[in-house]
Amino acid sequence: MLVHPQFDPVAIALGPVQIHWYGLTYLVAFGLFLLLARLRAAQPQFAQAGWTKQDVEDLLFYGVVGVIVGGRLGYALFYKPGEYLAHPLEILQVWKGGMSFHGGLLGVIGAMALFARRKGRSFLEVTDFVAPCVPTGLASGRIGNFINGELWGRAADPSLPWAMVFPQSGSLTPRHPSQLYQFALEGLLLFVVLWLYSRHPRPTGRVSGAFLIGYGSLRFTAEYFREPDSFLGLLALNMSMGQWLCVPMVLAGIGLWIWSGRAVGSAR
């Protein structure tokens, strides 16, 4: 079976300055967003609507703030509310780790709502624009998880060719490299589907709904291979916290998909 390579978490050391792999994956994520969003802005439906390079750069700024603030607050509220309520200042200690995708998503939604208001655009127009540019950033983040040897998978059959031992787990149990599963599913696969689907004009809200359904469904599936957080374990119905957070996400996506279709129909 395979053994996790035990990467040095520091990618580049220049004297006292240390650049961690995880920080580099965030930079890659933001760079990919900038590239893809500029391509989106050049598509006819958005170019005609007046989207500019400055809009893309502003979106990136709003998105970065939303991801960091929402991701950190989401982790504190969803995963360790008791601990952070007792020591609220520790929420600011982001260098100690602890980010939640679902919290980050809520943070980005709030940031996009503020961007839409200041730019005089509809909220769903903004989220439809952004949605296909997000999965590559998620993929980059999962590579960071793998390099750090964190968020490892559940125990796997030792005969599985890619079963991997993660020494960081404190055991020699072969496990699913669930970080790579998520990289492939909610990163690459979701990006390809959304990018191809959104190349042509769609009813307002339809691309956003597709993102919510797609990510929620793929993350829900990947959670069956990911080891639940040790301090939470499995919750009701033997589902992890990540799965429970995906349920309202998928339901919201389905509701948005149905609403966007009816809105088009009523407009006719």
Side-chain angles (χ1 to χ4, degrees), residues 139-156:
S140 181
R142 294 310 176 194
I143 291 297
N145 295 147
F146 180 75
I147 290 173
N148 284 349
E150 61 191 9
L151 306 182
W152 50 77
R154 303 188 192 190

Side-chain angles (χ1 to χ4, degrees), residues 195-268:
W195 191 261
L196 294 178
Y197 178 71
S198 64
R199 285 191 305 174
H200 304 289
R202 303 292 180 182
T204 300
R206 187 58 63 86
V207 175
S208 300
F211 172 82
L212 293 173
I213 296 170
Y215 178 85
S217 301
L218 294 172
R219 172 68 181 271
F220 189 95
T221 301
E223 284 283 328
Y224 281 115
F225 301 95
R226 175 173 162 175
E227 183 73 15
D229 295 286
S230 59
F231 53 87
L232 287 176
L234 293 175
L235 307 177
L237 302 180
N238 283 325
M239 288 166 50
S240 67
M241 175 60 82
Q243 287 176 312
W244 276 111
L245 292 173
C246 284
V247 171
M249 188 175 184
V250 172
L251 293 177
I254 293 173
L256 185 54
W257 182 280
I258 295 173
W259 173 86
S260 65
R262 289 180 176 175
V264 172
S266 61
R268 293 174 183 172

Side-chain angles (χ1 to χ4, degrees), residues 8-14 16-24 27:
D8 185 337
V10 177
I12 303 172
L14 301 173
V17 179
Q18 294 184 338
I19 301 176
H20 289 244
W21 283 108
Y22 207 58
L24 289 179
L27 289 177

